[in-house]
Amino acid sequence: MPSNVAEPYRIKMVEPLVMHSREDRADAIAKAGYNTFLLPSKMCYIDLLTDSGTSAMSDKQWSMMMLGDEAYAGSESFDRLLKSVQDNYGFPYVCPTHQGRGAEHIISRILITPGQYVPGNMYFTTTRYHQEAVGGIFVDVIIDEAHDSTADHPFKGNIDLAKLEKLVAEHGADQIAYVNQAVTVNMAGGQPVSMANIREVHEFCTKHGIIHWSDATRLAENAYFIQQRESGYADKSTADIAKEMMSYFDGLTMSGKKDCLVNIGGFLAMRDEEILIKAREWVVVFEGMPSYGGMAGRDMDAMAVGLEEALDDHYLEHRIGQVRYLGERLLEAGVPIVTPIGGHAVFLDAKRFLPHIPQTQFPAQALAAALFVESGVRAMERGIISAGRNKAGEHNMPKLEMVRLTIPRRVYTDRHMDVVADAVIALYAKRDEILGLEFVYEPPSLRFFTSRFTPIA
């Protein structure tokens, strides 16, 4: 691979960026309660809050939006989305939703009976919420290396088969609602899952009659890591790898706002027609008609094109390469990050970055706020705040306390990554000046979105 990989596209439209003064940034973060989610986007110079819905669409996607069929029922746009999912992922049935969260909500209602266990390779915030809201019990069965930010493992997202077998042996297969396997694993640092592990979990689930489901939001990026790291896949296209990956699952939840390269939308895809029928029943109640599920026809057309573009080898080489470029710049400067570098973001290790701040004073939240004041770069916390509280009202205490620098797809250049790297490196040099935080307002669920904080003097 060449040492320098240029963006595999030309830019034909630009959006101005404004760098506000440090004084204005300090005022903005204080008004936002030191929560980067509550900042006005106009105050952010480089916005790395999320890769969800922040992609730049292609000329082909924009042109297909003009062909969107906005019929309330029987939309041709849905037919094109269905065919794209069938051709690229191999699932015969699709039920669209307004975004991935809608898909998580519906599949949790369909598959979970109160009191059943839902094993997964590390929690994701909204997924776990929907599982627990209908009475499911989440159990983390990811390999131990995933909880160690410095562990050198090419597939830290893998499920530990011994943990899964122990859970099934203790409670019985009938008490397992389904196995939820994310590809890649966001909360582990964007870490991939190997094809061998997906296949092993599939065989285990088949043997025990357990549904094997995927949070496939970043499946294209996972396919690229398999191509680069797993024996036997170097000569295969990411499109072929992705289709093989999905062949081992009974269905998936998809947030189209990531690896479908669109700004809104999601869907459920499945092989079982009975699950499809139940999904359509719930979609009518919560989302819309089964032929649009809360999306406009034009968005379904853009998604149909985007999910195919995301499986292009040249696009993924640059996409993953840009994330790696930022991560390597930080590693060279001695900044502690999660390694190996993941697919959609670089994750700062806030525990090692700010060892003087105890986890109960929210070091990742404090670091994200300080980075914004330092540079106008907006990032987000992925640690104790995101983990929430248990039923006893105590903080869940994840081993990983991270700040996620999330790279939107096809939006920024490597020059922008240099600005981000320089800002983080400069902040690391004066890290002792950063103070911990305490709550001013804490909502009862998904608190990282709307909580407010104040510095601890």
Side-chain angles (χ1 to χ4, degrees):
M1 183 171 66
S3 57
N4 293 308
V5 179
E7 288 79 3
Y9 50 81
R10 293 183 295 188
I11 299 168
K12 62 170 67 176
M13 184 179 75
V14 296
E15 178 183 354
L17 297 177
V18 177
M19 171 65 87
H20 294 273
S21 70
R22 184 184 187 91
E23 182 181 37
D24 286 344
R25 296 196 301 271
D27 182 60
I29 197 66
K31 288 180 179 177
Y34 296 87
N35 186 344
T36 53
F37 274 95
L38 302 181
L39 286 166
S41 65
K42 67 180 181 180
M43 293 300 300
C44 303
Y45 181 56
I46 298 176
D47 199 343
L48 306 186
L49 183 74
T50 182
D51 62 331
S52 181
T54 57
S55 300
M57 293 201 298
S58 69
D59 53 354
K60 188 174 180 182
Q61 285 179 289
W62 280 108
S63 66
M64 286 303 297
M65 288 188 77
M66 301 304 295
L67 299 177
D69 177 7
E70 306 304 340
Y72 189 79
S75 168
E76 290 184 44
S77 296
F78 170 73
D79 293 337
R80 289 189 281 268
L81 174 60
L82 173 61
K83 186 176 187 304
S84 186
V85 172
Q86 290 171 339
D87 291 346
N88 291 284
Y89 299 164
F91 292 99
Y93 305 121
V94 173
C95 189
T97 58
H98 77 282
Q99 64 180 68
R101 209 164 303 166
E104 292 171 343
H105 172 210
I106 289 169
I107 201 61
S108 296
R109 282 181 172 269
I110 292 171
L111 297 184
I112 298 173
T113 299
Q116 283 187 315
Y117 295 88
V118 190
N121 51 342
M122 201 173 283
Y123 80 99
F124 183 67
T125 51
T126 58
T127 312
R128 181 172 180 172
Y129 174 83
H130 288 300
Q131 291 168 348
E132 293 179 341
V134 295
I137 303 168
F138 169 77
V139 180
D140 189 0
V141 292
I142 203 167
I143 60 174
D144 291 340
E145 289 89 339
H147 297 283
D148 181 352
S149 66
T150 64
D152 184 19
H153 191 294
F155 294 103
K156 287 168 78 170
N158 282 358
I159 282 178
D160 187 323
L161 264 294
K163 292 180 182 178
L164 182 58
E165 289 170 353
K166 181 181 179 182
L167 181 70
V168 174
E170 287 179 355
H171 301 285
D174 61 332
Q175 285 302 303
I176 308 299
Y178 60 100
V179 175
N180 190 58
Q181 191 165 27
V183 290
T184 58
V185 182
N186 189 351
M187 304 301 284
Q191 299 298 317
V193 180
S194 71
M195 189 75 81
N197 188 251
I198 294 171
R199 193 182 300 115
E200 289 169 352
V201 175
H202 163 73
E203 292 170 353
F204 176 87
C205 289
T206 300
K207 176 183 176 182
H208 293 277
I210 299 170
I211 293 172
H212 186 202
W213 208 262
S214 179
D215 176 349
T217 291
R218 297 181 179 87
L219 68 85
E221 294 168 9
N222 200 95
Y224 181 80
F225 281 119
I226 289 173
Q227 182 193 68
Q228 298 297 307
R229 297 179 181 177
E230 191 163 358
S231 176
Y233 289 94
D235 296 328
K236 294 189 176 183
S237 70
T238 49
D240 287 342
I241 294 169
K243 199 162 187 179
E244 182 185 344
M245 283 167 49
M246 292 300 103
S247 72
Y248 298 118
F249 291 102
D250 296 303
L252 61 80
T253 52
M254 172 62 77
S255 170
K257 298 165 69 176
K258 284 86 167 178
D259 268 352
C260 292
L261 302 176
V262 290
N263 306 124
I264 196 67
F267 57 84
L268 289 162
M270 68 287 288
R271 306 188 192 284
D272 189 334
E273 192 172 8
E274 289 187 14
I275 295 178
L276 172 69
I277 292 169
K278 292 177 182 177
R280 285 174 171 171
E281 292 170 356
W282 284 116
V283 160
V284 169
V285 175
F286 292 109
E287 302 279 321
M289 283 292 288
S291 59
Y292 73 89
M295 279 193 285
R298 56 183 174 268
D299 294 316
M300 288 191 285
D301 269 312
M303 186 183 293
V305 174
L307 67 84
E308 184 171 349
E309 289 183 348
L311 292 169
D312 177 76
D313 287 304
H314 299 295
Y315 154 75
L316 283 165
E317 179 185 27
H318 176 264
R319 162 67 176 160
I320 305 296
Q322 186 175 61
V323 177
R324 185 173 62 247
Y325 174 78
L326 173 59
E328 288 176 348
R329 277 219 54 198
L330 296 179
L331 284 173
E332 289 168 1
V335 176
I337 68 172
V338 175
T339 54
I341 299 165
H344 67 292
V346 173
F347 289 73
L348 306 179
D349 186 337
K351 282 185 177 180
R352 290 188 287 146
F353 201 114
L354 302 175
H356 63 286
I357 300 180
Q359 194 171 17
T360 52
Q361 293 182 11
F362 318 137
Q365 191 75 39
L367 178 53
L371 178 61
F372 172 76
V373 175
E374 176 71 21
S375 62
V377 174
R378 175 160 66 168
M380 71 170 294
E381 180 267 3
R382 276 296 180 233
I384 186 174
I385 302 297
S386 294
R389 294 183 184 270
N390 58 28
K391 290 182 179 180
E394 302 165 332
H395 291 299
N396 290 316
M397 303 288 285
K399 293 182 180 179
L400 296 176
E401 182 74 14
M402 307 175 294
V403 170
R404 192 180 75 180
L405 304 170
T406 332
I407 316 302
R409 296 163 181 81
R410 304 190 296 202
V411 171
Y412 294 115
T413 68
D414 287 354
R415 282 289 185 92
H416 293 101
M417 298 303 102
D418 285 330
V419 171
V420 175
D422 290 345
V424 173
I425 293 166
L427 189 61
Y428 188 58
K430 51 184 177 181
R431 57 194 179 276
D432 292 343
E433 300 174 11
I434 299 174
L435 302 176
L437 301 173
E438 61 184 357
F439 277 114
V440 172
Y441 164 70
E442 180 186 2
S445 59
L446 297 176
R447 61 188 186 176
F448 62 96
F449 283 126
T450 57
S451 288
R452 301 180 72 87
F453 307 87
T454 192
I456 298 173

